[in-house]
Amino acid sequence: MVDGPKRRLPLAGSGATGAAPPRGATPGPEKRRLPVLQSSGDDEGEDRPPWHWVALGTVAMFIAWLPLAGLVNTLLRRMLERAGDAEAPTSVRLAMVGLNVVAFALAGVAGGYLVGRFGGRAGRREAAASGAVVATLAWALALAEGAPAGVLVWALLLVVMVAIGSAASYAGGSAGLRARSAGSPRPS
């Protein structure tokens, strides 16, 4: 057959650069590889504007508040069933209001903490704004329910709910900012 040394063909992707080109062909340019960009973790994209965190804090508050309110109202329903009277005792009425306020405040702290801890440029002010938004939405839902009360009572209820929601979210935002500063590496 053919006398002379055997030539081996390069395998595709083997990276054999020393292989001889086929007869009559000129060696082509070497394959170029695309650079691999590795993220250092410091720059994870564009920072969200602070008002985005108001919306995220609002959603977080609702997500935390709805199960808490469901739990509180289930417990309160059992208390009313035990009372058995047609009219709820004053202690049960106070428990209804107090436990619902506590559930709302805990949800405010949780939503505010999220904004303070992960909010980038957002801080206490955006956390408090998310609490005010949730309080206003909850007030509007209660108003749409149509409970009988005068305009003054509804206005006072709005002021109280916004104050509780804003204060709880502000406190949560402060705690989140402290956790963020404690978790960030100190420059040497």
Side-chain angles (χ1 to χ4, degrees):
M1 296 236 229
V2 177
D3 294 332
K6 288 186 176 179
R7 297 180 71 189
R8 297 194 183 253
L9 294 175
L11 296 175
S14 67
T17 58
R23 288 186 193 166
T26 60
E30 192 171 321
K31 286 186 180 178
R32 290 179 27 185
R33 307 265 184 219
L34 292 175
V36 177
L37 297 177
Q38 295 188 4
S39 175
S40 64
D42 295 335
D43 184 28
E44 293 192 12
E46 191 173 316
D47 197 20
R48 292 185 188 275
W51 69 268
H52 283 193
W53 287 98
V54 173
L56 290 171
T58 299
V59 170
M61 262 185 85
F62 268 116
I63 288 173
W65 185 29
L66 292 178
L68 287 173
L71 178 68
V72 162
N73 288 313
T74 300
L75 293 173
L76 291 173
R77 185 171 11 104
R78 288 185 183 162
M79 287 174 65
L80 285 173
E81 288 172 355
R82 282 190 201 143
D85 296 335
E87 185 72 24
T90 306
S91 62
V92 174
R93 288 182 184 207
L94 288 175
M96 289 172 71
V97 172
L99 290 175
N100 277 299
V101 167
V102 168
F104 181 62
L106 285 175
V109 169
Y113 182 84
L114 176 87
V115 173
R117 175 73 172 95
F118 302 106
R121 295 181 309 202
R124 293 177 191 92
R125 182 177 59 183
E126 288 77 17
S130 68
V133 168
V134 170
T136 304
L137 289 173
W139 175 84
L141 287 173
L143 184 63
E145 222 19 64
V151 175
L152 184 61
V153 171
W154 281 107
L156 182 61
L157 182 62
L158 175 63
V159 169
V160 168
M161 288 181 69
V162 168
I164 292 169
S166 296
S169 296
Y170 187 89
S174 296
L177 285 172
R178 282 192 302 273
R180 183 191 323 176
S181 65
S184 63
R186 303 280 183 204
S188 312

